[in-house]
Structure formats: C-alpha cells, structure tokens
Amino acid sequence: MDPSSSSIQEPFDLIRLSLSERVYIKLRGDREVTGVLHAYDGHMNLILSDVEETILIVDPDSATEAPVPVNVAKRKMDMLFVRGDGVILVSPPSRA
Amino acid sequence: MFFGFEQKDLEKGKQAFRTDATHDTEEVPVFTWGDESYDGLGDALQEGGDELNDETFGSVGLVGKDFDFSNTTLPKSSGLPNEQALPPQKFAEPASSDTLYALRRKQDFTTLDSDQPFSSSSQSAESIWDNRSLLSSLPQLDGIFNQSKQAFAEAPVSELPMPQTQKWAPQSSNSGIRTLEEIEAEMRAAAHQSRVQQRELSLQQQLQQEEDRRQQTLHEQELQRQILHQQEQQHQLYLQRLLQQREQQYQRSTPPRMLPASQSPRFLEQQRQLLLLQQQQRAQELQEQLMLEEMERQLLARAALQQQHRQSPIPPSHHRPPSLTPDVYGYQRRQTRSQSPMNNDHRYPGIPQESSPFPSPQNIQLQQRLLSEMAQAEFIRNIQNQDGQGINPVEQEALRAEAMRKILEAEKMEEKRRRKAAKIAYMSRYNDLMTQSDKDFITRIQVSQLVTQDPYADDFYAQVYGAILRSRMGLQSQDERVLIFGSGGGVGLGLNGPKGGGRRPSAMQRMEQQVERIVNNTRKREEEKGVHALQSLQGALGKTSGRSYKAAPRQLLQVDPASGASPAISQAQAFKDPGDRVSNGAEEAAKLGRATLGKAADTTNLIRREPLTQRETLTILEHLYDLVLHVEQLRRDHSLAQDEQQTVEWQQQYDTLVDEIWDSLRVMVPLETSDPHPFISLLIPGKGKRLLPRITRHLSDQKMMTLLTLLVACFSQLDVIKQASVIDYSQDTLERAEAERQTQAFLGNAFQCILPVVAKASLRLVTGLLGLLLDRSNIIMVAQTRPGLALLTLFLSRVELIKADMVNVPEEFEVPTPEEAQQWQLVYDHFFQLLGPHFPMLFPSARMATATDGQVSFDIIDQPAWHFFAALGLHAVPEQQHVLITALREKILDNVTSANKGWVRNDEERQLKLDNVNLLLHVLNLDSSLIVL
C-alpha cells in the first residue's frame, strides 16, 4: 500500500503506529514491561496503561558453581510513566 | 607621547584593580547603554535633608572616620586617619580656583598623600578620573607643588589659608550633595564663556606639558606654575565638556563597542560611580554622626528626666493626660525622622546601608528601652500627681495595669511595624536590579516559547477538554480560547483563559506588542537572508547564552513567512489519480448495491489480495487520524470564511479531504478482495473502532449506507465476533480482558455510528441487511456474541417501529409495499428457523455455565439476550411464539422460581430476574405473576 510505505520517514513513525496498542518494552536493569502505549516523546518517555512489569532478579550469592537461579517478579499497574533513558526496545507484542 | 603615559597608567590601574578586592565589588558597572529606561541613579542621589549639609561640610569641624569600620567605599584612603589625608588645609588654594577644581585637587592630594610611595592604586584612581589630563602625570606635578608651596604661600590671594568648610560652603548651601550633571552644567557655562581663550590655552598647555615632561625635576617659577594651573583648569573644563558630549552621544546611539577603551561607557560609568560613592560616604558619615548626636541627646534627656522624677515636686504644667500612646508615638516618629533625614524620600530602599541607614539593632533596642522607661516614668508621675489629689490605691493599680497594657501594646505595634519594614527592605533588596530592557528581553524569550502559528492546534487538548467541561456545565460554548495576534501568531490560553479586569489586559497588551516585535523581527531577518531554512531562525531573537532554553523541548518561534498553513497537522498527502479511484468506486458501489439485496456479489474481474497486515492497518489508521484531525480543524476554521469565494474554497478543501478519508477507509474495495475485508481490518485495532464515529460525522447518508452494508456483509469477520468466545471464559486472562475491551470499544463507538443509519432505514433495506447477514455469516455464531445480538436486536426493533408507524402515521411514512413486507416475513422466518434450536445458548450465562460451575450472577449480562428475545417475539407468529416459549421455558421457570423462592442474594437481584422474564412475557401478553409453580 502506498501510504503505508510513504508515511514512515523516521523511527518514531513506527512507534506512532503502536499508539493505543499493546507494546512490549525492554528496559535496563533486566526489566520488561507490556502495556498499552498512550504517548511518547523524543526522549522515548512513554506513558502506558494496563501495565505488567516483569523483573528478573538474579541472586549471585546463593551458589557460585551451579547455574545462578533467576527469580521472576511481576507486578501490575494501571498507569505508568516510563522514563526514556531506560528504554532499550519497543516492539509490538509477538502475535503467536 | 601622551599615549605612552596613558597606557602605563591603565596597565597599572588594571593591576591595581585586580589586587584590590574591595574595588571589584564596588565598581561593577551597570550597563544600561542606549536605553531610554536608564535608571538614573545619578539623579536619584539628590535627596532631602539638605538643611544639615552645613554640618556635614564643615561647620562641625572635621568629621572623623574612625567609626567607619566597614570602610569599603573609598579603599584608597583606608587605613589612614582622615586628618592625615587632608593636606589641602595646609595647602593654600588660589581664590580664583573653581569649585570643581578644588574638589579634584583635594582628592588628588588625598590619594597621593595617603599612599606615599606612589603605588599603582593611586594612579589607577587618577586614571579613572581623567586619563588625558595633566593629572595623569601628577607624581611629577606633586613635586612641583611641594616645591612651590612656599612661593605659593607668598602669593597675595592665597595668603588666607581657607578652611575646608569655606571651600565647600557655596555648593552645600544651595543644593547639598551635587550630582555630576550639576557640576557639569556649571562647567559648561564657564566653558562657554572662555571657549576662545580655552582653545589657545589648550594649545599652549600641550606645549607646556611636553616641556614639563622633559624637565621632570624642574624648579618652576611662580608665574609658570600659575599659568600651568590655569591651563590645567581650562583643560579640565574642556575635558569635562568633551566627556559630557560623548556621554550624550553614546546615550543616544553609538554602540558601546565603537568607543575607544578609555572613553567607553564603562569608564564613564566608573567615573560616575566614584563620585557617587564619595557622596554616599559623606552622606553616611553625616548619618552616623547625626545618630550619635541624637543618642547622646536622648541619653542626656533621659538622665535629666530621671533626675526630675527623683526630685519629686513636679510642676503642674508637666501634668499630662494619662493616655500615653499618641505622645509616645509622636516622640518616636520625631526621633526616627531626625535620625535619618533621608528616610523621608528614599527612593532606593534596596541599599539601605548606604542611602537610607536604618537604625542599627542596638540603637533600636536602646530606643525601645528609652521609650518604655519614659512611659513608665510618666506613669509614675501621673500616679504621684493623682496621689496628691487623693486617688485610692485600687484605682491606682487599675490605672497602672491599664498603662502597662497600653505600653505593651505600643511596643508590640512598634515591633510589628519594624518587622514589616525590615521585611520590606529585605524583599526590596533587589529592586531595580534589572532595567526595563532586561525584563523585556526575558519576556521576549518566554513569549517566544509560547507563540505558535496555530495556537488552537498546539493547545488542542486543553481547548477540547475546556469545551467539553463548558458544555457539561451548561455554559454556552464560546469558540476557541486562544489569543491571536495580528501577524498570525497566537498563544493558546489553556483551560482558564484570561480573567478580565485587573492588570491582565495591560499585560496582554504588552505581550501582544512583544509578539509583534518578535514576529516582525523574524520576518525581517528571514527576508534578509532570503533563505527559508529553519536554521536561519536560530538566534533570531538574539543570543541567549547558556543551555537552558536550548534544552527546552519546544523550539524557538516557528514562523513560516511563506504560508499561513497550520504546521501542527502534517500536510495531507496528495492522493494519486483521484479520478481513477472515483470511477472505480462507482463501479464498486454498483456491485455493493446488488450485494445489499442479498444477491451474490459480482465476482468477475475481482483481484484477490492478502488481507492487510497489522502494520499496514496501523499505518493507514495513522494516516486516517491525520486526515480526520485536519478535517476537524477545517470544520473549526469554517467560521473564519467570510465571503462567497472563501466558502467555496473551503468547501472544496473539505470535500477533497473527506473523499480522501473515504478512499482510505477502503469501503469500496470489492467484498471478496480479502478476508477480513480491508475495511474490517481497519476496525480491528481499538483505535480504529474509536476513529469510526469521528469519520462518519463527515460522511454523507449514501456513504454511510454503503458502509453499513459492508459492515453487515462482513460482520463475522470482525474480531469482536471471532474472539467473542474468549469472553465466555470466566478466567481472568489478559486475552479475555483485551477481548472485553475491544467489545466495549466496538459497542461504544463503531456500533453507535451505525445506529442512526439503521434508525432511518426502510423496511426494504433492513430486510436486505438481515438477508445479507444470514447469507454471509454464520448466524448462530454471530447471535452468540454481544455485538451480534445487539445488531439483530437493532434490526428487529427497527422493523417493529416501521410497523408501528405504518399503523399510526401512514401518511407521513413511506409505506412499504406488500411485497417488501412479505419479503421481510420470509427472511424473518428463515432467521427464526435457523436460530431456533440454539435459543437457550444465546444467553451468555448458559454458555458460561457450560464452561464453569457458574457462581456468578448472570442477570445483568443476560439482559441483552432477553431484549433480543422480546424483539424477536414481537414479530413472531403464534406458532413461533410457542416455539420460543418452549425453548426458553426452562430459563423462564428457573428465573421465576429463584425469584419467588428467595434463592436470591437481595431484592435487587430478584427484581432483575423478574424484569428480565417480563421483558419477554409482556411481549407475548403474559406476565411472570401468571406463572404458577
């Protein structure tokens, strides 16, 4: 389709496509977030609603030899402001 | 040759400035070049309290400075007693000398004598004063003076050693502390008289100076010295005049950088400040002495008073009324006034320690104590008097208490007043630090961040929200709350908008002026550059150093001088081959029209395509949003069109945009192109569903009809139908929540915009639509979804309305032909037959119950199903009604039993159950109360 190709001129146009859609966001510090994207800006600050955050907690003290256990903590929030400097990746959620 | 000396002096002066730290703080120049709003500090120095000038300038003798501990005002004479620094008393001045000259000489000697080894600082002071004058070579001259002192003393005029006071007397008697301007005015007058002479003399003087330099240790004769003296005087005058002229010049126009360093405004400013400082110091000395004197007087008075009290018999004339307060205040006021003669008229409370000395804390305390003691003494006196008149002790006590209370009150008031004054003084420390031009400059920067070409769009959310709020509150909706300036720029005013009255209007006016200026400047610059690059706007508003404004997210003013088009909304992309598409569309419309009536869609020359991908869908939707925003903006701008032509143009623009939206919606793409149909794909994301009502507002009835037909034809392709079964799981998964949200969005938005179309549809159309639905969709599946049920209910109730209208107002209504009615009945029968076996499954509760154990209260979610059955029952022939009742018998009985036997949690639920049943039963002319178990 012609408009679909021509209207994308910069990376942010792709993020714009995901407005009010569910997105998957990878953050620094082993955090992941999925939520409905409401707004973003040039710093990649994001506003998400209906968010589920996943934090991977690695505990290096428990055992040095064996594979380090990874704990997963999850929490839900209605509305979230994500500061742009922590954002590594923004993508539409995989549609299996 | 002069030059060499000057430079040396300047160099030394610079060093001196660097080394002398106190200097730095004092001499920071305030730049108000070329500004009309120059704050006029010099003028402000002229202050009240002139009557005490005599005291200041000599009649009390020499004013000591040993109490001046801070001593920052004149650092050159620091560390040395004043007496030492004042040799002019010894030095006989020629009587003919001008007052200014005297002043200068005095100063020169002061500085020279105090820094005996001619340090650079003394020279720097001179370089400040006058670089070009002979005074710059004063070290040599001083030698001359010293040597010729004796000869000088013999001169007849100078035989009378004039005390300092007399020298100062003529100035101080009439005007007190004089400003530079006044002095200059005098000088000018003098200079005018002697201009001719002066030219000669200045020539001579130059020659003379050269000679002087050559023979540095020269013993000058009396005559020569006098000539020199005169010349110097003339030269001074000349220089003064020159300086003044220059000053006026640069004040008018010349940019400061154009002036040579020695004549730069900075230099002049320094000179001015030096004079100012001297005057201030003098004023301060005066103040302090006055204060001291006052204190002394008070102490004496107090002592006398106390003595008076001790010597008991008080003359009756001293008898005063018992109320002390006014008197105390009066006294205090007198005190304050006499202590600070400048207080009456201090225009600069910001520098209280210099221009208006506030009483020092100790002083205040002392004063307070004095006051209270005075009051007490008075009270005692009164008591004593009253004693003499035989007043009893109780009354006495009462009076005493009363008096004490009053005193305390007075003290409190005084304390309050003082605190207030201190606070005001504290707050006004920085008054007048910024000139008007500084403030304007800052305002300009701030305003430039606010002004945009399209204030409405930039303030969009606040504007829309404000409009909604206003309409909710029932206020008449004003249009846009924006401030539009003449040249196209404007400022969005946000929610509140300007509140009338007060100082706001003038502020608005000022802002408008600022904006005008900015915009005009920007335009001008743009024209000059001739380039329309955005970069050329950088720095259009002047340089602001520092990163603060660059870090701001908003760019500087974005004014496009070429077009007035809104920059906020990206230009609509010109779409290609409009004619081609329109003709295609016409064909497709014809096809769809056939399809509407339930006939098979024409599948010839059909190109099957892959359905739109997710990304394509989203891209199209974003494009649609752009278009819709643009159209909405156009709608708002409609009121701006005034004449015929503008309206026509506007209409064209509007139509073009709406056509583009229509094309982008892809309603006219043949039905079988893909599954889901492109239009349906656009409805899959939530924002697509929400966008639809905003689009349909702009579409014609014909287009809406087509849209509705397409929607019905492809109804089973909708995600809300496909995913509907997810909702029936009662597990609370993300998927289910998402499906729920989508269903809500569909019912709340997309469905709402087809309601009015169906509400106007003819029986023929409704029949066609229902037929289409039956033909193209799995009706059983559709009916088991909430949107499907809603759509079916909508159709059935519309037909019911048509039937009612046929009976009630047949003349108004386009009566359906018998064939149409028959057709409807056929379709209905078919529909009933198809759905019949599945009636119980249309209840969401029934579907859920099969999936879970069913603990939830289902009455609310079942309500739409009951509504549907009621609508269905209305059209049913008796046999069909019988089928209906039979199918739903169990459900009805279940509800009634639960309600009657009290298997409900509360009355509300019971009522709900009965109401649901009655919805259907009433249609069949039955009631739940008729059911007997």
Side-chain angles (χ1 to χ4, degrees):
Chain A
M1 301 265 158
D2 17 315
S4 53
S5 50
S6 64
S7 72
I8 296 194
Q9 281 148 357
E10 55 174 20
F12 274 126
D13 286 343
L14 287 171
I15 294 186
R16 192 187 164 193
L17 295 184
S18 289
L19 274 175
S20 91
E21 290 286 293
R22 190 160 279 280
V23 287
Y24 163 82
I25 291 154
K26 193 173 174 180
L27 295 168
R28 280 141 69 115
D30 294 324
R31 283 157 195 262
E32 291 168 359
V33 150
T34 60
V36 178
L37 178 69
H38 285 279
Y40 65 91
D41 66 9
H43 305 284
M44 282 278 239
N45 295 325
L46 307 165
I47 290 175
L48 304 171
S49 74
D50 197 19
V51 191
E52 188 179 76
E53 183 182 13
T54 309
I55 309 168
L56 297 177
I57 303 163
V58 180
D59 192 1
D61 293 335
S62 58
T64 43
E65 298 285 320
V68 183
V70 178
N71 296 316
V72 178
K74 287 194 178 191
R75 59 172 174 158
K76 289 191 174 181
M77 282 146 288
D78 286 341
M79 205 49 118
L80 190 70
F81 178 92
V82 180
R83 193 175 146 85
D85 62 356
V87 174
I88 292 173
L89 175 140
V90 178
S91 86
S94 57
R95 286 167 187 275
Chain B
M1 140 173 194
F2 276 124
F3 224 66
F5 274 93
E6 269 168 36
Q7 278 183 330
K8 225 198 300 181
D9 282 347
L10 267 179
E11 245 348 269
K12 284 181 183 172
K14 256 189 241 162
Q15 282 173 1
F17 268 97
R18 267 183 224 125
T19 50
D20 200 342
T22 50
H23 237 87
D24 292 340
T25 55
E26 289 297 316
E27 309 244 341
V28 175
V30 179
F31 296 107
T32 52
W33 309 327
D35 195 347
E36 296 155 357
S37 57
Y38 160 64
D39 56 8
L41 270 177
D43 299 340
L45 266 173
Q46 188 75 26
E47 284 176 320
D50 287 348
E51 64 278 357
L52 290 160
N53 279 342
D54 281 334
E55 268 182 43
T56 322
F57 297 121
S59 67
V60 289
L62 215 57
V63 179
K65 269 174 59 176
D66 37 0
F67 51 82
D68 185 10
F69 298 116
S70 60
N71 213 1
T72 50
T73 41
L74 254 190
K76 273 142 289 171
S77 56
S78 65
L80 279 175
N82 225 18
E83 289 83 354
Q84 241 185 341
L86 285 171
Q89 280 188 321
K90 285 178 257 163
F91 176 67
E93 197 69 43
S96 62
S97 68
D98 189 274
T99 45
L100 177 82
Y101 177 67
L103 185 138
R104 291 270 162 106
R105 290 245 55 100
K106 173 184 166 277
Q107 237 162 15
D108 294 335
F109 276 105
T110 310
T111 50
L112 285 174
D113 282 16
S114 55
D115 299 10
Q116 260 313 327
F118 295 122
S119 70
S120 50
S121 90
S122 82
Q123 286 191 0
S124 84
E126 279 153 34
S127 66
I128 288 163
W129 269 112
D130 218 340
N131 265 358
R132 289 198 163 175
S133 75
L134 276 178
L135 295 174
S136 60
S137 55
L138 258 179
Q140 296 88 41
L141 278 178
D142 186 59
I144 296 163
F145 287 146
N146 284 337
Q147 281 148 2
S148 59
K149 224 184 255 175
Q150 287 176 340
F152 210 37
E154 284 159 14
V157 246
S158 57
E159 261 172 5
L160 293 167
M162 285 200 203
Q164 202 193 357
T165 47
Q166 278 175 16
K167 276 188 282 168
W168 284 96
Q171 306 159 278
S172 52
S173 59
N174 54 3
S175 64
I177 302 160
R178 305 199 313 164
T179 62
L180 183 60
E181 276 82 358
E182 282 175 75
I183 295 165
E184 279 167 359
E186 261 183 43
M187 311 292 299
R188 219 177 324 160
H192 187 70
Q193 286 171 352
S194 58
R195 194 178 291 156
V196 187
Q197 188 195 0
Q198 180 204 343
R199 264 183 220 135
E200 266 179 34
L201 286 171
S202 59
L203 238 167
Q204 282 179 9
Q205 174 214 15
Q206 279 186 1
L207 290 168
Q208 209 61 55
Q209 255 181 328
E210 284 172 23
E211 215 175 328
D212 283 348
R213 295 255 162 67
R214 250 177 266 125
Q215 10 177 318
Q216 289 208 342
T217 53
L218 189 73
H219 296 258
E220 288 285 318
Q221 280 96 354
E222 169 65 26
L223 183 67
Q224 205 176 357
R225 214 214 72 79
Q226 271 178 351
I227 289 170
L228 186 71
H229 189 82
Q230 249 182 353
Q231 284 165 354
E232 197 180 318
Q233 196 179 332
Q234 295 298 335
H235 187 64
Q236 285 263 342
L237 289 172
Y238 179 80
L239 270 174
Q240 277 295 331
R241 215 158 49 98
L242 219 99
L243 276 173
Q244 198 178 11
Q245 278 170 358
R246 280 215 191 97
E247 201 173 343
Q248 282 166 354
Q249 262 172 13
Y250 91 71
Q251 273 181 355
R252 247 175 264 130
S253 62
T254 326
R257 269 170 240 102
M258 302 298 238
L259 293 168
S262 62
Q263 295 151 11
S264 73
R266 189 191 172 90
F267 165 74
L268 288 168
E269 198 61 43
Q270 279 173 347
Q271 208 175 20
R272 193 199 302 269
Q273 278 187 354
L274 202 73
L275 196 65
L276 200 141
L277 284 174
Q278 284 169 346
Q279 286 169 346
Q280 278 178 353
Q281 199 188 20
R282 238 165 261 134
Q284 202 177 354
E285 284 168 20
L286 166 71
Q287 294 297 327
E288 282 166 21
Q289 183 157 10
L290 269 175
M291 262 160 28
L292 278 176
E293 280 172 15
E294 189 61 39
M295 294 301 301
E296 243 172 284
R297 220 173 291 151
Q298 278 173 25
L299 285 168
L300 279 173
R302 184 177 152 211
L305 211 69
Q306 279 171 344
Q307 265 187 341
Q308 238 177 11
H309 290 316
R310 272 180 223 118
Q311 301 158 1
S312 48
I314 288 153
S317 60
H318 280 223
H319 187 92
R320 290 190 206 179
S323 160
L324 292 173
T325 356
D327 228 308
V328 169
Y329 266 124
Y331 182 62
Q332 201 154 31
R333 235 176 287 132
R334 276 198 303 278
Q335 246 181 348
T336 347
R337 205 182 303 141
S338 61
Q339 268 176 353
S340 54
M342 284 180 175
N343 252 2
N344 301 335
D345 173 31
H346 64 268
R347 268 183 278 176
Y348 291 89
I351 28 174
Q353 64 270 52
E354 279 173 14
S355 64
S356 64
F358 277 77
S360 68
Q362 297 100 316
N363 194 9
I364 291 166
Q365 276 177 10
L366 194 66
Q367 201 176 318
Q368 277 292 312
R369 222 182 310 136
L370 271 170
L371 273 171
S372 56
E373 279 175 29
M374 263 173 59
Q376 214 171 353
E378 199 141 357
F379 177 75
I380 291 163
R381 204 169 52 210
N382 284 333
I383 300 290
Q384 282 164 349
N385 282 344
Q386 281 157 358
D387 256 351
Q389 285 152 25
I391 287 164
N392 65 46
V394 181
E395 274 178 41
Q396 228 179 52
E397 197 52 44
L399 272 169
R400 185 197 291 273
E402 173 78 355
M404 282 311 287
R405 195 180 57 78
K406 274 180 179 160
I407 289 162
L408 280 175
E409 229 167 62
E411 271 177 1
K412 222 178 278 174
M413 292 288 283
E414 174 61 15
E415 175 76 13
K416 219 171 171 183
R417 191 197 61 80
R418 206 158 3 135
R419 232 181 296 142
K420 207 164 153 191
K423 201 171 176 186
I424 289 169
Y426 180 81
M427 284 194 299
S428 59
R429 269 184 313 170
Y430 303 117
N431 274 7
D432 298 319
L433 262 185
M434 287 168 77
T435 62
Q436 191 55 43
S437 69
D438 290 339
K439 290 173 192 163
D440 285 352
F441 183 66
I442 286 168
T443 318
R444 234 175 298 154
I445 292 172
Q446 288 172 335
V447 166
S448 71
Q449 304 264 326
L450 293 176
V451 176
T452 53
Q453 197 75 12
D454 188 351
Y456 186 89
D458 276 359
D459 200 21
F460 180 78
Y461 291 103
Q463 298 283 348
V464 170
Y465 182 59
I468 291 170
L469 272 190
R470 280 194 297 277
S471 72
R472 202 175 286 166
M473 272 151 43
L475 301 171
Q476 94 278 17
S477 66
Q478 305 156 337
D479 30 18
E480 311 166 10
R481 294 215 160 193
V482 289
L483 204 66
I484 292 172
F485 301 125
S487 46
V491 176
L493 295 177
L495 263 186
N496 294 320
K499 296 184 183 77
R503 20 192 282 273
R504 275 305 192 84
S506 72
M508 283 291 168
Q509 219 170 14
R510 256 209 317 276
M511 185 159 98
E512 195 166 338
Q513 284 169 0
Q514 292 277 13
V515 169
E516 283 300 318
R517 226 159 83 195
I518 299 164
V519 171
N520 288 339
N521 283 348
T522 313
R523 290 242 166 91
K524 229 178 273 165
R525 224 165 266 242
E526 202 72 29
E527 279 162 21
E528 280 167 15
K529 288 200 174 173
V531 192
H532 297 290
L534 201 70
Q535 275 77 17
S536 63
L537 282 180
Q538 292 283 333
L541 305 168
K543 260 191 185 167
T544 49
S545 55
R547 306 172 34 232
S548 60
Y549 84 100
K550 278 178 188 158
R554 184 94 67 98
Q555 260 193 324
L556 284 178
L557 190 61
Q558 294 188 349
V559 179
D560 186 0
S563 75
S566 158
I569 297 166
S570 59
Q571 288 294 321
Q573 289 157 356
F575 60 94
K576 292 152 201 162
D577 304 332
D580 189 28
R581 283 213 190 178
V582 167
S583 62
N584 276 346
E587 281 175 35
E588 283 155 15
K591 268 184 240 161
L592 253 160
R594 283 191 294 269
T596 310
L597 295 174
K599 291 170 184 137
D602 184 6
T603 48
T604 53
N605 72 33
L606 176 86
I607 309 138
R608 278 203 78 91
R609 286 202 206 121
E610 284 297 299
L612 293 180
T613 63
Q614 171 82 1
R615 198 182 124 181
E616 280 169 340
T617 307
L618 292 173
T619 314
I620 294 165
L621 278 176
E622 285 307 319
H623 182 56
L624 275 171
Y625 264 106
D626 277 347
L627 292 172
V628 165
L629 284 173
H630 205 144
V631 166
E632 284 172 355
Q633 180 66 35
L634 261 182
R635 280 278 270 258
R636 283 192 295 271
D637 290 345
H638 187 36
S639 53
L640 297 178
Q642 279 140 9
D643 53 45
E644 190 95 350
Q645 202 198 333
Q646 271 179 319
T647 314
V648 170
E649 274 174 23
W650 178 87
Q651 191 64 43
Q652 273 178 353
Q653 218 180 341
Y654 180 77
D655 290 346
T656 312
L657 273 171
V658 171
D659 281 347
E660 196 181 345
I661 289 173
W662 180 244
D663 286 336
S664 302
L665 269 182
R666 287 157 173 77
V667 173
M668 302 310 260
V669 174
L671 265 181
E672 302 294 341
T673 303
S674 62
D675 183 10
H677 187 271
F679 172 69
I680 301 295
S681 292
L682 293 180
L683 286 181
I684 288 172
K687 54 181 163 178
K689 296 184 178 78
R690 281 189 285 273
L691 180 60
L692 199 59
R694 287 172 78 171
I695 289 176
T696 51
R697 219 174 289 156
H698 307 284
L699 297 179
S700 64
D701 284 354
Q702 184 54 49
K703 281 175 176 160
M704 278 309 294
M705 213 79 92
T706 316
L707 190 144
L708 171 66
T709 310
L710 180 66
L711 186 68
V712 170
C714 302
F715 204 71
S716 59
Q717 296 172 357
L718 282 167
D719 64 323
V720 285
I721 306 295
K722 281 181 178 168
Q723 307 287 318
S725 57
V726 177
I727 296 176
D728 294 337
Y729 306 143
S730 59
Q731 286 101 335
D732 199 13
T733 60
L734 261 181
E735 216 181 355
R736 183 178 182 277
E738 179 64 23
E740 185 71 38
R741 225 191 335 262
Q742 293 293 352
T743 306
Q744 287 295 342
F746 182 81
L747 289 174
N749 296 286
F751 195 73
Q752 293 302 313
C753 65
I754 60 166
L755 270 179
V757 188
V758 176
K760 281 185 286 182
S762 63
L763 179 63
R764 190 167 156 267
L765 183 67
V766 178
T767 312
L769 288 175
L770 185 59
L772 194 61
L773 191 66
L774 294 178
D775 188 41
R776 293 187 50 87
S777 312
N778 179 357
I779 192 67
I780 297 153
M781 194 187 85
V782 169
Q784 288 188 20
T785 65
R786 240 193 303 162
L789 215 52
L791 185 71
L792 291 171
T793 313
L794 182 66
F795 286 158
L796 294 173
S797 31
R798 173 63 196 155
V799 174
E800 177 55 32
L801 259 178
I802 293 171
K803 281 182 180 171
D805 281 346
M806 266 162 61
V807 179
N808 295 338
V809 275
E811 67 278 356
E812 270 182 41
F813 200 72
E814 186 194 338
V815 185
T817 58
E819 291 87 53
E820 283 169 0
Q822 201 183 350
Q823 183 112 32
W824 162 252
Q825 199 56 49
L826 270 175
V827 174
Y828 174 82
D829 289 344
H830 182 51
F831 169 62
F832 194 91
Q833 201 182 338
L834 275 176
L835 215 54
H838 303 280
F839 281 153
M841 290 304 284
L842 299 193
F843 289 106
S845 61
R847 296 198 297 271
M848 285 183 188
T850 57
T852 66
D853 51 355
Q855 284 296 311
V856 204
S857 162
F858 295 119
D859 298 296
I860 292 168
I861 48 173
D862 276 352
Q863 211 163 21
W866 288 109
H867 272 289
F868 167 73
F869 286 124
L872 193 69
L874 274 175
H875 299 284
V877 291
E879 302 89 71
Q880 285 167 337
Q881 284 184 359
H882 187 72
V883 173
L884 191 61
I885 293 290
T886 316
L888 298 180
R889 186 169 181 274
E890 210 174 313
K891 184 79 186 165
I892 293 167
L893 285 179
D894 190 30
N895 266 19
V896 174
T897 317
S898 318
N900 288 348
K901 299 220 166 170
W903 299 341
V904 285
R905 267 165 268 178
N906 46 37
D907 273 359
E908 216 173 293
E909 195 184 321
R910 180 169 167 273
Q911 195 57 45
L912 200 62
K913 276 185 191 295
L914 287 181
D915 284 349
N916 277 344
V917 174
N918 281 337
L919 268 177
L920 173 62
L921 294 184
H922 284 174
V923 168
L924 310 174
N925 292 320
L926 296 166
D927 191 89
S928 59
S929 54
L930 298 175
I931 297 170
V932 182
L933 295 163

